[in-house]
Amino acid sequence: MIALKRKPTAASPVDGEDMLAALDRRLSTIEADDNELRAAELALGDYSPNGSRLTEAAEALLAGTEFDPNANVVSQLDAIRKKRAVIRRALEIGYSQRERLLVERAGSIFASFFPEVAELERRRLMTVLQLQRINREREGLREKILAAGGTPYLPTDGVEFLGIGDIQDQTWECCERAISNGVVSRAEIEKARSS
């Protein structure tokens, strides 16, 4: 029978990084155990309960020989398969916990940078809105030039530069996301659009 050595347990983790590192080490150990069991399972072969070894063991038991389930290949395979089933479930649970820890860590990291992110995103949005305001002024100037009898072409025609902000476009969607995430207030957006 294949017996796995009990692995020493890790010290109790102090923080999320320690928990993640400890979980990664444990998952690696469990995967190595599973690989050993898979090799043992393959070495024993795939015997069915109706196989000749089971019949041999049954005949020996009838003849008065003591039955040792650990000596029986079928029993060993059954034990290995049960251990592997437990290992598969442990890996499933472990990887689920690992994913949760990674998500928590990512959230914590983002939260630690949020003031900087919010300020940069606010400035970026205000710049976009300012450019759209300038684009509206540019279109107004084009109208004046046309009204005076000039040509409607301006030196940077052909490059859109975020439009004029008169439709619900990507800029509008970005502003709504920024408002919902607390990066900027609706009043700031309206002020920047109308200035």
Side-chain angles (χ1 to χ4, degrees):
M1 172 113 190
I2 306 295
L4 296 177
K5 294 180 232 166
R6 185 175 282 302
K7 306 290 190 258
T9 58
S12 63
V14 178
D15 63 21
E17 283 299 315
D18 289 345
M19 289 174 62
L20 188 58
L23 184 59
D24 282 343
R25 285 190 303 275
R26 189 65 192 125
L27 287 170
S28 178
T29 300
I30 291 171
E31 285 176 342
D33 289 348
D34 189 47
N35 288 335
E36 287 178 23
L37 288 170
R38 183 180 313 116
E41 183 178 11
L42 292 173
L44 289 172
D46 189 18
Y47 295 98
S48 68
N50 299 325
S52 62
R53 291 187 186 246
L54 181 62
T55 303
E56 290 171 12
E59 288 173 355
L61 184 62
L62 282 173
T65 306
E66 191 168 321
F67 176 66
D68 180 9
N70 290 329
N72 186 326
V73 173
V74 174
S75 296
Q76 289 177 22
L77 274 172
D78 189 43
I80 288 171
R81 287 175 180 153
K82 285 178 184 176
K83 284 180 183 179
R84 289 197 66 210
V86 170
I87 284 174
R88 280 191 298 275
R89 181 67 179 134
L91 289 171
E92 183 180 294
I93 291 168
Y95 280 113
S96 176
Q97 289 174 353
R98 183 178 189 279
E99 183 67 24
R100 183 185 48 79
L101 288 171
L102 286 171
V103 167
E104 287 174 4
R105 182 179 73 179
S108 177
I109 290 168
F110 185 80
S112 73
F113 284 97
F114 186 75
E116 188 177 347
V117 168
E119 176 55 28
L120 191 61
E121 290 296 311
R122 189 188 70 69
R123 287 187 6 233
R124 184 172 181 246
L125 278 174
M126 294 301 132
T127 301
V128 167
L129 295 172
Q130 181 181 8
L131 179 58
Q132 286 183 334
R133 188 174 59 248
I134 291 168
N135 287 346
R136 286 191 297 274
E137 291 172 15
R138 183 175 180 267
E139 291 306 310
L141 178 59
R142 181 190 313 271
E143 303 257 339
K144 286 181 189 177
I145 292 171
L146 274 172
T151 64
Y153 304 110
L154 297 175
T156 60
D157 278 351
V159 179
E160 191 59 30
F161 287 138
L162 301 173
I164 59 174
D166 62 340
I167 59 171
Q168 289 186 351
D169 59 0
Q170 287 180 329
T171 301
W172 180 83
E173 290 172 12
C174 188
C175 288
E176 290 300 314
R177 273 197 321 268
I179 291 167
S180 70
N181 287 315
V183 171
V184 67
S185 70
R186 188 167 301 283
E188 286 177 289
I189 295 292
E190 293 307 321
K191 181 179 177 187
R193 279 186 174 150
S194 63
S195 298

